[in-house]
Amino acid sequence: MHGGLSHRSHWGRPSDPQLYIDPDLCIYCGLCASVCPVGAIFPQEDLPEAWAAYAEGNRDYFRRWGA
């Protein structure tokens, strides 16, 4: 994620295994983290090191596919 959370997110392509958050639309409101059923969304400053690759993958997804 780009520095935090997004109010706009959507499912990726049918074969994608995760929810993607558009880093350019993120307003850092925390709403998506509060409704995530598996607790997998973090503000950038709280992102566990083990999850860093997912943040980069999220950015790459929107670079490749757009919103």
Side-chain angles (χ1 to χ4, degrees):
M1 289 182 288
H2 175 71
L5 306 170
S6 172
H7 71 290
R8 180 175 180 207
S9 57
H10 62 83
W11 289 107
R13 304 297 183 254
S15 63
D16 292 340
Q18 74 180 57
L19 183 67
Y20 293 88
I21 299 169
D22 188 335
D24 293 331
L25 298 177
C26 179
I27 62 168
Y28 311 102
C29 68
L31 181 60
C32 55
S34 69
V35 298
C36 179
V38 295
I41 301 174
F42 301 90
Q44 187 67 36
E45 63 273 7
D46 296 334
L47 183 67
E49 184 62 34
W51 293 56
Y54 288 98
E56 185 59 32
N58 192 72
R59 284 187 291 274
D60 289 345
Y61 176 87
F62 283 97
R63 285 183 199 132
R64 186 175 330 135
W65 300 108

